[in-house]
Each structure stands twice: as C-alpha cells, then as structure tokens.
Amino acid sequence: MEDLKKKTAKGIAWGAVNNGTTQVLNLVFGIVLARKLTEADYGIIALLTIFTALAGCIQSAGFSQALANLKPPTKQDYNAVAWFNILAGFSMYIILFFCAPLIARFFHLPVLTDVSRLVFLAIPLSALGIVPNAKLWIELCNRELAIAAIVSLVISGCTGMWLAFHGYGYWSLAWQQVIFIGMSTIIKYGFTRWYPSLPIDFSPIHRMLGFSSKMLFTNMLTIISQNVQTFIFGKILPIGVVGQFNQSNKWNTMGHSFISNTMAQVAQPVLTNADNEEGRQERVFRKMLRFTAFISFPLMLGLAMVAHEFIVITIGEKWLPCVPLLQMLCIGGAFIPLHTIYQNFIISKGRSDINLVCIALMIILQIGLTLSLSPLGITAMVAAFSALNVVFTICWHIALQRTQHLSALLVLKDIAPFLCVAIGVMAGTYYATCWIQQLVPLLVARIIMASLLYLIIMHLLNAVIMKECLQLIRKRS
C-alpha cells in the first residue's frame, strides 16, 4: 500500500510537471501564433483534427489500455501490438492521402487537399511511438514522458512560430503538429531502448482483442465527442467562426486537460493495482475525485471569470468573439476531469463496454442538441454543450454503480464543497475587482485575490486534500 502511494504521488507530481510545463509552453506559443495568424488559419486546421484523431485511434485499436490491464505484459505482447500499430498507421495514411480531395470538396475548401496530406503524416509517425509511450505509461515513467513532451513541444513550437512570421499561415500550424509527433516518438524510443523485432507474431493480439475492441470503439467515440461540434460548425458556419470556436475551445481544453491528463497518467494503472483488497479501490477512487475537484473547479471557473481580460491581453481584440464562448465552455470543462476519473475506474474493472455506452450516449445528445439549436447560432449550441458536460456527471456515476456500489451522496459530499467554495470565491472576486479599469492590473488582481481566498477558505475548512498536497510539496522541496 505504501509503495503504491509513493508511486501514485510520484506519478501525479511528474504528471503535473509535464502538463503544467506543456500548458505554459502552449500558452506562449498559442499567444504568439494567434496574434500572427487569422481565424481562418485556425479554422482550416481545426477541420482536419477529427480525421487525424480518428485515424490515430483506429491504428492504436485500444491496445495501450489492453496492455495496461495485463499483469504484466510480455515482450511478445509489446511486439505484436507495435507491428499492428505500424501496419495500421501507414495503411490509414495511404487511405487518407487519396481521400484528401473528397474532404476538401465536403467543406468547399480546395486548400484542404494539400494541407491535409501534410497533417496526416502525423498518423504513421504516431503509430511508431504508441508502444514506447505505452511502456512508459504502464511503468509510471512520468518523468520520461514529461521530458519527451516538453522537448518536442519546444522544437515544434519554435518551428511553427518561425514559419508564421515568414508568412506561411496555416502551414505553420500543420508543420507544428507533424514535428511534435515525430520528435516525441524519437525521444520515447531513446528512453525505452525498445524496438519492434522479427519475426512478427500476432497471436497475442487475439488475447487482447475482446477488451481492446471495446476500447477502440470507446476511444473513437471519445474523439467524435470532442470534435463533433467543430465538424458540424465547419459545414454550416463560415470558416472564421469555426476558427473563433477553435480558439476558445483550445484555451478551455488547455485548462481542463491539465488536470485530466495529470490524473489519467496514473489513474488506470493505480486503480487496477488497487483492486486487490476489499474497499481499497473505492478509497483510492474517492481520493482521486477529491483531488481533481480541489484543482479543477477553481482553475476552470477562474478562467471563465478572467476570460475577457485574458483574451484581450494575450491574443488581441480581434478574438473578442471568443470570450462568451470560452466562459461557457469553461463551466462545462470544470467537470470533464471528474469524468476522466470515472472512466478510468470503470476501465480498471474491465468494463470497457459500459464506458463505450456512456460515450455513445454523450455523442447522440451532443449531435442532437447541436443540430436542433443550429438556427439559434453558435452561442446557443455552445451553451447547450457546456450544460450537457455538467449534467452528464450523473450518467457517469450511474454507470460506475454497475461495477461498484458507491453512494451518490458520498461523491456529492466529496466534490460539493470545492464547487461551492470555487463559485463563491470567483463571484466575490469578480465584484470586488470590477472597479479596476486597466486590464493588466485587473487580471493580476483577480488571479491573486481568487487564489488567496480559495486557499484561505480551504485552510479554514480544514481540507485534508490540501494538507496532503502541501506535504507532498514539502517532501519534494
């Protein structure tokens, strides 16, 4: 138990370093690129996201999660999955290469033909790195994952900025994506010093197929859920409006993915290992849920509070239409990290089928709401999407109860104090600082005041999770 705690703490710490540093770098690169590029540039690349993400999902086929559920995976397991991914990745690129003109015709944008063929190169490059990434993830080597992500991001971000300043427009975003994936793959091979070998034996694939096939469909539906709005918007709205939504959703995703990715790097391996003692897995799950709520609610609601001054100061007034979209997305985004913990718990029980059903239901509701509200405009569609993320937390809890009896009142007791305090702090901070006229002092004042108020109230409430976080920081210092 103590060993698992240490591994979990170390994994979360390095996961936080990884995601925190990458988010800061993404912030810097995103600000520079957004000031230089147009809404249409972002809209063009956004339309291709769903294709690259789905192709990447098909090539991995859910085997990363399947490998994590093996205790432990063998060399033969890794080798079989690696060759499967490589063959699938290169096959997907060939298919999409010839489908590029059809994609361009669907969105009525001829430029998509050439740019998509470059962006789709990320698929075979990603295929080469799936197993090294899985090995590092399963072994909780989050330090190595952090280094790979940070180095790759610096190199790709600098390249993207250089291209943007030399007038390459959307090509700078395309090259940034491809270079990031390529560098990340190379570095992960360097850390694992593992390479696929001959002969090729696909027999281990059959052992994992039952679990991985469900995860494949689950991951595909997750990607559709994350990108379906951009896809629909690209068909019914001007490309500039798609770019505005993409920009606001990017900042929202950077916020909630910081917490989601940090927890996802440790959640499934830790929850799987904790399933050896009665009641232990539930305790681990609830602690993860409290930690996630402790971070997610103030971070995301705080971003919603400072959205106006943040957007104007960082990327300029031309992006002002993003502000209300970002504020609405952040409210729903505050609950997405909680969904991640629920998903990992269900998967750790081997019930990827339940996970699949939940995500399928989410997509159906998303598409239905988006299409039915399309005559009312993008604001109404985004508001409905955000509200759905909040309400769908109930669905995740109902799904969890199919694998583990856990009272909804206990979960509400775990997360409600953090939500209520975050709402109160942000509302109080907003009205207490609204007299400040200059944007930079206003942004700084709101961040400092909200942070201090939240921490003081947590201290007064004797929040155990905050004490444990402080103890972890002291041990690391």
Side-chain angles (χ1 to χ4, degrees):
M1 186 65 176
E2 288 301 317
D3 185 55
L4 183 61
K5 284 183 179 179
K6 289 178 181 178
K7 286 185 176 181
T8 305
K10 184 179 179 181
I12 290 175
W14 273 108
V17 170
N18 181 1
N19 289 288
T21 305
T22 54
Q23 298 296 21
V24 170
L25 291 171
N26 276 320
L27 177 67
V28 173
F29 294 135
I31 289 170
V32 175
L33 290 170
R35 286 184 169 273
K36 193 66 181 176
L37 303 177
T38 66
E39 294 96 326
D41 291 330
Y42 278 92
I44 288 169
I45 300 301
L47 295 179
L48 299 174
T49 303
I50 191 168
F51 297 101
T52 54
L54 279 174
C57 177
I58 291 170
Q59 76 190 14
S60 66
F63 286 118
S64 292
Q65 291 95 335
L67 286 169
N69 265 24
L70 298 177
K71 299 178 182 179
T74 66
K75 292 180 180 179
Q76 289 75 20
D77 294 329
Y78 282 124
N79 200 55
V81 170
W83 281 114
F84 177 89
N85 291 335
I86 291 168
L87 292 173
F90 280 87
S91 299
M92 289 304 305
Y93 179 73
I94 293 170
I95 293 170
L96 287 171
F97 182 92
F98 290 107
C99 288
L102 300 177
I103 296 170
R105 192 180 306 165
F106 178 82
F107 289 111
H108 307 293
L109 289 170
V111 297
L112 284 177
T113 299
D114 291 332
V115 73
S116 65
R117 286 171 172 169
L118 171 61
V119 171
F120 294 155
L121 278 174
I123 296 168
L125 291 174
S126 175
L128 290 167
I130 287 175
V131 167
N133 183 79
K135 281 181 67 66
L136 294 172
W137 174 54
I138 291 168
E139 295 166 11
L140 293 175
C141 297
N142 287 348
R143 172 180 170 272
E144 289 75 9
L145 288 171
I147 293 171
I150 293 166
V151 172
S152 303
L153 187 54
V154 169
I155 294 173
S156 62
C158 291
T159 304
M161 288 195 302
W162 187 89
L163 291 170
F165 277 96
H166 284 78
Y168 284 89
Y170 51 80
W171 288 103
S172 59
L173 297 173
W175 274 109
Q176 183 184 20
Q177 290 184 22
V178 173
I179 292 172
F180 175 80
I181 297 296
M183 287 302 306
S184 179
T185 297
I186 292 170
I187 294 170
K188 287 170 185 175
Y189 269 108
F191 279 128
T192 59
R193 299 193 179 278
W194 178 94
Y195 306 96
S197 59
L198 296 173
I200 301 174
D201 177 15
F202 286 128
S203 58
I205 296 292
H206 296 292
R207 289 195 297 116
M208 295 180 271
L209 199 57
F211 181 87
S212 65
S213 60
K214 297 186 184 74
M215 287 309 307
L216 167 62
F217 288 114
T218 300
N219 293 340
M220 287 178 63
L221 291 176
T222 300
I223 289 164
I224 294 171
S225 173
Q226 293 169 347
N227 295 279
V228 66
Q229 279 197 307
T230 302
F231 186 83
I232 296 173
F233 292 164
K235 187 64 177 175
I236 65 176
L237 297 174
I239 193 65
V241 177
V242 178
Q244 291 169 2
F245 171 76
N246 176 255
Q247 188 68 238
S248 56
N249 194 42
K250 181 186 77 173
W251 297 115
N252 167 58
T253 302
M254 283 177 62
H256 68 69
S257 66
F258 166 71
I259 308 111
S260 296
N261 293 343
T262 298
M263 298 308 297
Q265 285 181 336
V266 300
Q268 190 191 341
V270 170
L271 286 167
T272 300
N273 289 328
D275 194 19
N276 299 322
E277 178 186 324
E278 187 177 354
R280 182 180 175 192
Q281 194 177 44
E282 180 181 317
R283 293 194 299 271
V284 172
F285 168 76
R286 290 184 61 195
K287 182 174 251 186
M288 285 184 172
L289 208 60
R290 289 193 296 272
F291 177 79
T292 303
F294 170 69
I295 301 294
S296 182
F297 289 135
L299 178 66
M300 298 308 299
L301 297 182
L303 180 56
M305 177 188 65
V306 301
H308 178 268
E309 46 270 28
F310 172 77
I311 290 293
V312 175
I313 291 170
T314 55
I315 58 178
E317 293 188 359
K318 70 178 182 180
W319 294 102
L320 268 176
C322 295
V323 172
L325 302 180
L326 176 58
Q327 290 173 325
M328 290 183 288
L329 287 169
C330 283
I331 294 172
F335 289 82
I336 291 178
L338 301 180
H339 300 176
T340 301
I341 304 300
Y342 272 102
Q343 285 179 278
N344 279 278
F345 185 90
I346 293 169
I347 292 169
S348 72
K349 289 288 191 180
R351 296 303 305 270
S352 54
D353 55 329
I354 295 177
N355 198 37
L356 176 64
V357 170
C358 286
I359 296 174
L361 176 61
M362 180 72 164
I363 292 172
I364 293 169
L365 293 173
Q366 281 179 320
I367 295 174
L369 285 171
T370 301
L371 293 177
S372 62
L373 295 174
S374 58
L376 301 179
I378 190 170
T379 302
M381 289 187 283
V382 172
F385 172 70
S386 182
L388 179 61
N389 277 327
V390 176
V391 175
F392 208 78
T393 308
I394 300 171
C395 295
W396 279 115
H397 188 79
I398 294 172
L400 178 139
Q401 288 186 317
R402 297 290 300 275
T403 65
Q404 176 84 29
H405 178 69
L406 178 61
S407 169
L409 289 176
L410 281 177
V411 172
L412 189 63
K413 181 182 176 182
D414 286 334
I415 66 174
F418 303 109
L419 176 60
C420 294
V421 171
I423 292 173
V425 165
M426 301 313 155
T429 301
Y430 179 84
Y431 288 108
T433 56
C434 62
W435 56 272
I436 303 175
Q437 299 298 316
Q438 298 296 319
L439 289 181
V440 174
L442 177 60
L443 177 62
V444 173
R446 283 181 168 172
I447 292 174
I448 293 174
M449 182 176 177
S451 301
L452 290 175
L453 272 177
Y454 185 75
L455 292 175
I456 290 170
I457 294 173
M458 286 293 106
H459 177 72
L460 293 175
L461 292 176
N462 200 28
V464 175
I465 201 71
M466 189 174 79
K467 291 181 179 179
E468 292 180 348
C469 290
L470 292 174
Q471 288 173 359
L472 178 62
I473 292 171
R474 291 192 195 103
K475 288 179 181 178
R476 294 285 168 187
S477 61

